[in-house]
Amino acid sequence: MQIIIALTITAIAVIYSAIRIYKAFKKAGNPCYGCTGCEIKEQMMKVKREKSSLKTKKPACFNKKGKKNLAE
């Protein structure tokens, strides 16, 4: 009976360790490791959104050209 309990606890510990190692590798690029509640992450996400919006933002003259073409 003791052997069964010991093996069960060992198996649970091995499975838990494997899951934690998998999550650590999966979230390796995230400095907050999946934390959703800190101000640092909010600031990082804000900067990331600003950078991505700058890359995808169209120049001011883009709209003017489109309107001229439609009017002609």
Side-chain angles (χ1 to χ4, degrees):
M1 183 65 173
Q2 290 178 344
I3 294 175
I4 294 172
I5 295 172
L7 290 175
T8 303
I9 292 172
T10 304
I12 291 171
V14 168
I15 291 169
Y16 178 77
S17 299
I19 291 170
R20 297 301 295 171
I21 291 170
Y22 172 75
K23 286 183 179 180
F25 281 116
K26 186 177 178 184
K27 305 258 184 184
N30 185 356
C32 291
Y33 190 66
C35 175
T36 58
C38 68
E39 292 181 30
I40 296 171
K41 182 166 185 174
E42 290 173 12
Q43 290 176 355
M44 288 184 342
M45 295 304 289
K46 182 180 176 183
V47 170
K48 186 177 179 180
R49 281 192 302 268
E50 289 173 358
K51 286 182 180 180
S52 67
S53 68
L54 291 176
K55 291 179 183 176
T56 59
K57 195 172 188 178
K58 296 178 182 174
C61 63
F62 179 79
N63 291 335
K64 293 177 185 176
K65 289 180 183 178
K67 288 180 182 177
K68 284 182 183 177
N69 290 340
L70 292 175
E72 294 175 3

